Amino acid sequence: KLQKQFQAFIKAEQEQVEQLSKQTEQTNEIFQERAEQDQFVQSQDNDKELSLVTRVIDGDTIELEDGQKVRYVGINAPELPDGCFSEQAKQQNTQLVLNKQVFLEPGPQDKDVYNRLLRYVWQDNNLINKNLIETGHAYAFDFGHTHKFTDVFEQIEQKAKEDKVGLWGEVCHPQEKEEKQEEQQKSNEKQNQVQIVHGSSDSTRPP
């Protein structure tokens, strides 16, 4: 009996040691993963400049506290004053970044021909370039210079087109609204014709 109790005790101790060992391994993995994430974030931040946005020029251009203008990389917004949805694009950009600290990440080129900085603009973890495409306030456009988000931006634009948001909607494509109204009118006329036919056939039936 004592031998059985001793064996059970040894087995329980072994199981506890194994469990502690697994927990230690899991803890080490978590710490390692966090360390790698922190290193990645830090390496990203090392490539970024923190700046204050003091003016929004349009849907894809801003001005910083030091007077330097920044053009968003990889997108194009409708041009003021006549471009359809240009005012809405500027308003959206204003809401996202005006009087806020943003991180400026260099693109494939440092400046354009107008001496504007070409940057990915981050507000917290939100990439403003991407956000403006998602909401239909801008579209993907790389001016012949591919960049690390080229494919992503194009996919997001395609989704915005399919959802008909922003500049892809009826505001800038009134013909689509007219076509929908015509289709609805034709559908209503067909339904009325069916009702008339059913009504006439019912009247010929005996009581």
Side-chain angles (χ1 to χ4, degrees), residues 18-59:
E18 290 177 359
Q19 186 175 2
L20 288 172
S21 178
K22 288 181 180 179
Q23 289 177 348
T24 301
E25 289 178 4
Q26 291 174 352
T27 302
N28 289 338
E29 289 176 0
I30 291 172
F31 276 115
Q32 179 66 25
E33 183 178 353
R34 287 181 179 175
E36 290 175 356
Q37 289 176 349
D38 291 342
Q39 185 178 3
F40 175 69
V41 171
Q42 186 177 4
S43 67
Q44 280 192 329
D45 289 345
N46 286 339
D47 295 332
K48 298 175 184 176
E49 313 161 33
L50 184 62
S51 302
L52 176 67
V53 178
T54 55
R55 184 163 76 103
V56 171
I57 296 172
D58 56 25

Side-chain angles (χ1 to χ4, degrees), residues 71-76 120 129 133 139-143 147 153:
R71 178 66 164 77
Y72 295 170
V73 172
I75 74 169
N76 198 31
Y120 303 105
N129 314 49
I133 301 175
Y139 53 92
F141 197 77
D142 58 19
F143 296 92
H147 55 92
F153 284 6

Side-chain angles (χ1 to χ4, degrees), residues 81-203:
D82 300 325
C84 183
F85 226 68
S86 57
E87 283 292 344
Q88 293 92 326
K90 180 180 179 180
Q91 290 172 8
Q92 179 71 2
N93 196 17
T94 299
Q95 182 178 349
L96 290 171
V97 301
L98 184 61
N99 297 324
K100 295 179 182 179
Q101 295 279 352
V102 296
F103 281 106
L104 304 177
E105 181 181 355
Q109 292 180 301
D110 184 52
K111 293 183 179 182
D112 64 7
V113 294
Y114 303 104
N115 203 37
R116 300 177 298 186
L117 296 174
L118 299 174
R119 297 290 186 267
Y120 303 105
V121 178
W122 298 81
Q123 212 287 312
D124 293 330
N125 291 322
N126 181 28
L127 179 56
I128 303 301
N129 314 49
K130 179 176 78 72
N131 182 274
L132 289 167
I133 301 175
E134 285 176 332
T135 56
H137 292 92
Y139 53 92
F141 197 77
D142 58 19
F143 296 92
H145 300 280
T146 57
H147 55 92
K148 66 179 182 178
F149 293 123
T150 293
D151 293 338
V152 176
F153 284 6
E154 289 177 354
Q155 291 170 7
I156 294 171
E157 179 191 311
Q158 184 59 38
K159 180 68 166 54
K161 285 181 179 178
E162 293 171 358
D163 294 341
K164 300 187 187 306
V165 297
L167 62 89
W168 308 112
E170 295 175 350
V171 173
C172 297
H173 301 275
Q175 69 276 12
E176 293 186 4
K177 184 176 182 180
E178 294 175 0
E179 290 173 359
K180 285 183 180 179
Q181 290 176 342
E182 290 178 1
E183 290 177 1
Q184 185 64 42
Q185 185 176 355
K186 289 179 181 179
S187 176
N188 292 338
E189 290 174 355
K190 286 182 180 180
Q191 289 180 357
N192 291 335
Q193 290 174 357
V194 169
Q195 290 175 357
I196 292 172
V197 170
H198 283 312
S200 61
S201 60
D202 289 344
S203 62

